[in-house]
Each structure stands twice: as C-alpha cells, then as structure tokens.
Amino acid sequence: MDKFTELTAIAAPMPTENIDTDQIIPARFLKTIQRTGLGKNAFAAQRYDAEGNENPDFVLNQEPYRHAEILITYDNLGCGSSREHAPWALLDFGIRCVIAPSFADIFFNNCFKNGILPIRLPREICDELMDDARQGSNSRLTVDLERQVIVRPNGETIAFDVDPFRRHMLLEGLDDIGQTMAHDAEITSFEHRPSRAWVPSITIGTSK
Amino acid sequence: MPVTNSPRTLFDKIWDDHVVERLEDGTCILYIDRHLVHEVTSPQAFEGLRMSGRRVRRPDATVAVVDHNVPTSDRSKPIEEPQSRLQIETLEKNVAEFGVPYFPLRSASQGIVHVVGPEQGISLPGMTIVCGDSHTSTHGALGSLAFGIGTSEVEHVLATQTILQKPAKNMRVSVEGKVGPGVTAKDIMLAIIGRIGTAGGTGHVIEFAGSAIRDLDMAGRMTLCNMSIEAGARAGLVAPDETTFAYVKGRPFAPKGEAFEQACDYWRSLASDEGAYFDTEVTLAAEEIVPSITWGTSPQDVLPITGAVPSPSDVADPARAAQIQRALDYMGLEAGQTIAGTPVDVVFIGSCTNSRLEDLRAAADVLRGRHVAEGVRAMIVPGSGLVKHAAEAEGLDKIFLDAGFEWREAGCSMCLGMNPDRLTPGQRCASTSNRNFEGRQGPGGRTHLCSPAMAAAAAVTGRLCDVRELVKETV
C-alpha cells in the first residue's frame, strides 16, 4: 500500500447524498480477479451514455476534474455493498482522499486499507470546500495527514480527526496483516480456551 | 470472559467473548469463528496470501461457495461468459490450493452464501461471522455477530482468523404488538429503514427486539437482519431463543447430542441483560405497519402500498429536493401519484433477503390457481439447491410453473445483475431483493422492493398492488 502523507490536488465537487458503491462501480465490472483496471469504469452509469460516449455533464468528464485526486460529497458516501472494488476504482481513477459529512462504515474502512484517506467534516465545511473545488484548477486543496489539516486555497486551515492507529498505518504505508501476525501467540492461546470447546470444525470435500 | 459486571447487551457479550487482545488505542483483535467466502470478493485476497507466502490459518473455520456470478439457467452446460467462468475457476483453484471446504456449482448444497450458512448449521448463535459481502448481517438472525468486510479484510481473516475493529455502538429497535394480515418481516424491515433512514444505523449494531420480532420464524428474522446494512448498521441481531435452537438442531454442521445442549446453555446466556445500555432506542408499533414498497432509488424511499409518491416541494433542503426529483425521473414516476397501479415488466422473487422455503411458500399462497399477467416476465430463484429441492417436494414448483413463472437454479441472480439475469433500461421490476439503487438490477432498470407475497401479487395483476386486496378471502 502506498503511503499517504501530504496531498495537494484538484478536488471534484459531487454535491450528492448516499452515493452508493453500485454507482461507484456497477456489479457487472466486478468479474475481475485483479485490483487494478477499474478506474475507467468508476461511476460508469453517470460517466458514459449507452454507447459508451462520455457524458459531458458529469463532473469527472470535465477539466480539470478529470485529474481530481480528492472527491467531496454529501452524507453517507459509499453506502451499500462491501465491495472493495469501489475504493479500488476510485484509486485507479486517481482519487487519494474523499471528504464527506458521513460515510458508510465498510466503505470508510475499505478506503484506509487502500491508501485512500476518508475525512469526515461537518456539512457546512464540506459546502465551503465544495465552493473551493468549483473554482477549478487554480483552487487546489492540500491535505496534510501529519498535521491533520486541510489547507484551503485562501490559506485557511481546517483541522480533521483521524483514528491514530489508522493514521499511523497510512503515514507508514503499512500492511496490517503483518502487524496482527505478530500477535500469533495470543491468537493461538485464545483458540485453546476451554470456553470455546463447543465451536465445531468444518470439513467437507474440497474437490469438485 | 466478562470485562465488567454492569449489564451488557447481546452484542457486548459476543464481542467480549471474542476479543483476543485490546490494543493501546482501543482497537481490538477480534477472533472470527466463521469465514464465508465467495467468488467475487476473494480472488485478490487469495492472491495476496500467495504473494506473501501466507497460508489460511483455519481452513476448518472457512467455507467457500459460488453464488454472485453463476448462471441460474441449465447447469449442465459450461458457463458462457468467459470472465464469470474465470472467476469461478479461480475460486476452485484457490480452495484446492489452500484446503478450504467448498460447495461447488453442481453440489446440491450450493446456493447463496447467506442461505447456505444457516441452512448447513455452519453459522451458529454466539459466533462471530464474516464474509466479503455486506449482507452477512443475515446470519445475525441466529444471535451471532455477523458483518460484511472488504477484500483486504478477507485476506486478513484468511491469514490470521481475526479482524481489527473497535466496538460498535448499541441500538435497539423494538417492534411491539402483532402485525396485521399480509404484513411480513420484509414489510417490518422496510418500515424500520423508512423510519431511521439508510444512515440511521451507521456505527451501530442493531438488536431487533419486541414481541413482533419474537413471533417471527427464522426465515423472517433473516430477512430482517439481512437488511440491517440498508439501515447503515454494521450488523443486526436477534437474541437466540427456543425458535433459534429448534432451527439449529440437527443441521449438518451444528453441535450434536450433549454438545448441542451445552451450546444451548451458553447461547441462552447471551440475551441482553435487564438494564443494559443502548446508545439509541427506536420503537415501532406492529399494528401500524402495512405492506410496503419502495418508490425511489434508496431503500429509505419507502411507502405503504396505499401511499403516494413524495414531491420535491415536500422538503425544505434543496439538495434533498433535487435528489427526490432525480429519483422520480430515474424511476419514471410523477410527484404525488399513488404507487399502487404502477405497471411492472418483471417480477423477481429471490436473493439472500427472500429466497428461503418460507418465502417461496408465501409467494405460492398468492399464486395458487392464478396466472402471471400478460407481458410480465416473472422469475423465482431459490436461495439454495436444498431450498429448491424442498420446494419441489411440496409441489411449489408446479404452482410457480403453472402460474407462468420461471423456476431457476440457486444464486444471487437479478438482485445485483452480475450474471445474465438483468433488467434492460427502463424496465420496471417488483423485486424481493434488498437494494433499489440506480442500475442495481441492470443499467437503467427500475426496482421496487417488496415482500414475496407483494411481488407475487404484482406478477398476477401486472401492477404494483396491495396483496391484501388479492387474498382477502384467505388472509
């Protein structure tokens, strides 16, 4: 996973609530067995018409937002399916930071696992940032994870909260499996607790 | 392992009993009892294990099945779509390489992962259960803590049998009283989502309680918990009781004999203590719930079937008004129109929400002696091979076929439109599935979520209608 430290980038305004993961990446594109290559189909239903031509009204088809690395939306971003293909599609498009008043839990979690920083901010502040984003290419936002601030184009800083453990993982670009495996002895000891004796084991044929 | 003597909720107890270690910042290493795996969200996880030379820590706590991407037509033929075939072959290669128990496509036990888990006794009360699918909340009906995870977490669980998480907040949704005729678990859940909204449960685990919930059979409780995610919750659960134990007893992978009795004693101890603290409490009166239907493109866009579609002018927030207008345009509906009477093109009865034997019986009760309206395509996709077999043993297949329904093989099918079962642009569908998002059942498709009885009624009349009108004499 790539580290996330500081990002200065174009932000795309998407003033919509409840952007679900089916919108971010429709199910018919989930047949891949890879993590990459989903960016071209991110927001497919809104981005392309039935013939596959770009819809000029959709924000990510417009300059400079084709190069956006930050997305700003309204409440409940990423609701719906647990598909990690949603953050994979955003990442493959180039998005490294998503800002919204609230997020669906699984999507929020999936973002961190892929080096995307999700930031919760009150709706009024999202509206201000949305206004900044509408200014286009002269109006880049800086997201500084080390200092936990967003720097607006006018120089004003907005502080944000982030879970310390997740911040650490992002700043260092760490794989949490390795971290958990360091607790192997505790996991093994848990598995041998007498109170767990009732939990049955499963065996069935693994062949066809 | 009680960490405190104060009264605890069902969620608190299951959580406490699975904490391996609490890290400094409060993140817990939580042990996972059951990991269910399917073809769509696992290939990248197995590839990750392979690249880092890791093994599956507990193959005997892991079960794989194909469901999302499988055809629901004739299974004797090879899978036509090359990408779908590759995804299924990849799962078969992975389960063989890592030694994971697996129900293959042609197994009689194959089916939707959230139908198969409980049906096989793989999912049990008091367990922590995860799967790379948001509707894992279904298994909470057994009184387990069950939630969906992303693929990175699938890899984490495969490698460590644990997950890193902080405890959720507790919410209790109580439904008291008795529901009226024609009102099902689906209607109860749609009413709950309509009340609290699709983000109402964010950060919470919902315990469903109250006499109307206790009265539900296990299939109904599964429908309820299934759609917890549509209320934004991490999970939903129902305290295990005698209904639960009767359901679990004798299932292939459930504890047997003495071990079963001991397990029941433990499971009984899990119910929320008197005075346990809930961060949020919501109460609904069962008598006020009527057969429900969604009108828009979010599960919270729900109406009684007797109701009228909202208007953008009903709301003050311009963003919300714009969203209502967008939903009306997408759905091809007029502000203020009554929802009943809207013609449908397709009826889909199936999905992890409503594809169990009880759901099929409810549909059959409406369809017996009736026929699908002209021009309507109607399909029933049972939740598993075993559900299909049981339905056929009762003669339900004959009722469906005589009524003009397609009687298909088990899988996720038109719930998410990954396989060839899809709506075409503009088609309107009465569906027993769980999501009415734009394009969910196929690009441009229009979804109205409802119960199996309501879907069957729509098939017969060719319109969204109140099932109570149709079965007045029987309900």
Side-chain angles (χ1 to χ4, degrees), chain A residues 140-188:
Chain A
R140 287 161 200 258
L141 297 179
T142 294
V143 179
D144 184 337
L145 179 58
E146 186 76 53
R147 292 165 56 213
Q148 289 182 226
V149 291
I150 296 171
V151 185
R152 295 180 64 189
N154 66 6
E156 188 191 330
T157 58
I158 295 167
F160 63 86
D161 282 333
V162 58
D163 180 280
F165 178 74
R166 288 168 150 163
R167 174 173 171 273
H168 169 72
M169 300 298 278
L170 271 185
L171 285 172
E172 302 297 328
L174 292 176
D175 156 21
D176 57 8
I177 296 178
Q179 305 257 314
T180 303
M181 287 183 100
H183 299 265
D184 183 66
E186 290 84 358
I187 298 171
T188 303

Side-chain angles (χ1 to χ4, degrees), chain B residues 343-408:
Chain B
V344 298
D345 305 297
V346 178
V347 170
F348 170 66
I349 297 178
S351 87
C352 57
T353 312
N354 280 125
S355 63
R356 296 174 185 81
L357 185 58
E358 293 81 349
D359 300 313
L360 303 193
R361 284 178 185 151
D365 284 344
V366 176
L367 295 172
R368 197 171 280 116
R370 293 193 169 99
H371 200 275
V372 171
E374 201 173 314
V376 173
R377 180 189 180 195
M379 57 198 291
I380 297 193
V381 182
S384 71
L386 296 186
V387 168
K388 184 171 197 199
H389 184 78
E392 288 174 352
E394 291 182 14
L396 301 186
D397 58 324
K398 185 151 187 332
I399 296 170
F400 300 142
L401 291 166
D402 287 351
F405 267 80
E406 297 170 32
W407 176 237
R408 302 180 71 93

Side-chain angles (χ1 to χ4, degrees), chain B residues 205-220:
Chain B
V205 166
I206 300 177
E207 178 174 345
F208 296 98
S211 54
I213 306 301
R214 296 254 76 84
D215 285 349
L216 290 174
D217 60 20
M218 291 308 293

Side-chain angles (χ1 to χ4, degrees), chain B residues 404-438:
Chain B
F405 267 80
E406 297 170 32
W407 176 237
R408 302 180 71 93
E409 301 295 330
C412 298
S413 183
M414 201 184 268
C415 173
L416 83 165
M418 251 196 104
N419 79 350
D421 308 340
R422 272 182 217 160
L423 297 180
T424 56
Q427 272 190 330
R428 187 181 300 283
C429 178
S431 177
T432 67
S433 55
N434 41 57
R435 290 191 179 130
N436 52 347
F437 297 156
E438 285 183 20

Side-chain angles (χ1 to χ4, degrees), chain B residues 117-353:
Chain B
E119 180 176 80
Q120 294 288 336
I122 290 165
S123 309
L124 294 169
M127 284 185 157
T128 48
I129 302 170
V130 297
C131 172
D133 188 278
S134 59
H135 291 111
T136 308
S137 56
T138 312
H139 309 256
L142 292 153
S144 61
L145 175 60
F147 49 88
I149 57 177
T151 298
S152 295
E153 288 179 315
V154 169
E155 185 180 340
H156 192 280
V157 178
L158 287 172
T160 69
Q161 203 57 35
T162 67
I163 202 161
L164 297 173
Q165 216 175 74
K166 284 184 175 168
K169 288 189 274 190
N170 282 287
M171 176 186 275
R172 180 162 58 192
V173 175
S174 305
V175 187
E176 300 289 355
K178 285 214 178 294
V179 293
V183 177
T184 68
K186 183 66 161 283
D187 303 298
I188 296 175
M189 194 54 197
L190 286 172
I192 293 170
I193 296 165
R195 166 80 78 85
I196 70 175
T198 57
T202 303
H204 292 77
V205 166
I206 300 177
E207 178 174 345
F208 296 98
S211 54
I213 306 301
R214 296 254 76 84
D215 285 349
L216 290 174
D217 60 20
M218 291 308 293
R221 294 179 188 184
M222 287 184 218
T223 301
L224 198 71
C225 290
N226 171 275
M227 289 188 74
S228 304
I229 187 75
E230 273 65 54
R234 280 203 209 165
L237 31 67
V238 177
D241 60 9
E242 297 309 316
T243 303
T244 319
F245 308 145
Y247 174 90
V248 168
K249 192 172 187 176
R251 304 245 160 215
F253 295 96
K256 304 280 186 302
E258 182 93 348
F260 179 78
E261 295 309 322
Q262 283 169 5
C264 284
D265 288 343
Y266 171 61
W267 298 337
R268 276 189 194 96
S269 74
L270 294 172
S272 291
D273 296 328
E274 189 70 36
Y277 176 73
F278 288 89
D279 301 85
T280 311
E281 291 251 26
V282 176
T283 305
L284 281 82
E287 287 80 4
E288 290 172 11
I289 300 172
V290 295
S292 302
I293 187 98
T294 63
W295 63 269
T297 53
S298 163
Q300 71 188 5
D301 297 340
V302 67
L303 282 176
I305 185 63
T306 51
V309 173
S311 165
S313 60
D314 297 345
V315 295
D317 176 13
R320 179 66 196 139
Q323 212 136 14
I324 291 176
Q325 189 58 54
R326 181 189 163 93
L328 290 173
D329 293 345
Y330 182 85
M331 293 299 290
L333 296 171
E334 298 292 330
Q337 76 168 85
T338 54
I339 193 72
T342 310
V344 298
D345 305 297
V346 178
V347 170
F348 170 66
I349 297 178
S351 87
C352 57
T353 312

Side-chain angles (χ1 to χ4, degrees), chain A residues 14-24 43 46 73-81 100-104 107 123, chain B residues 193 196-200 202 229-232 295-301 317 319-320 323-324 326-327 435-438:
Chain A
M14 292 183 75
T16 311
E17 292 176 0
N18 298 322
I19 296 177
D20 59 70
T21 52
D22 276 81
Q23 283 181 54
I24 298 173
F43 296 102
Q46 291 161 70
T73 79
Y74 285 159
D75 274 295
N76 204 22
L77 175 59
C79 60
S81 150
S102 63
F103 293 84
F107 176 78
R123 166 78 181 253
Chain B
I193 296 165
I196 70 175
T198 57
T202 303
I229 187 75
E230 273 65 54
W295 63 269
T297 53
S298 163
Q300 71 188 5
D301 297 340
D317 176 13
R320 179 66 196 139
Q323 212 136 14
I324 291 176
R326 181 189 163 93
R435 290 191 179 130
N436 52 347
F437 297 156
E438 285 183 20

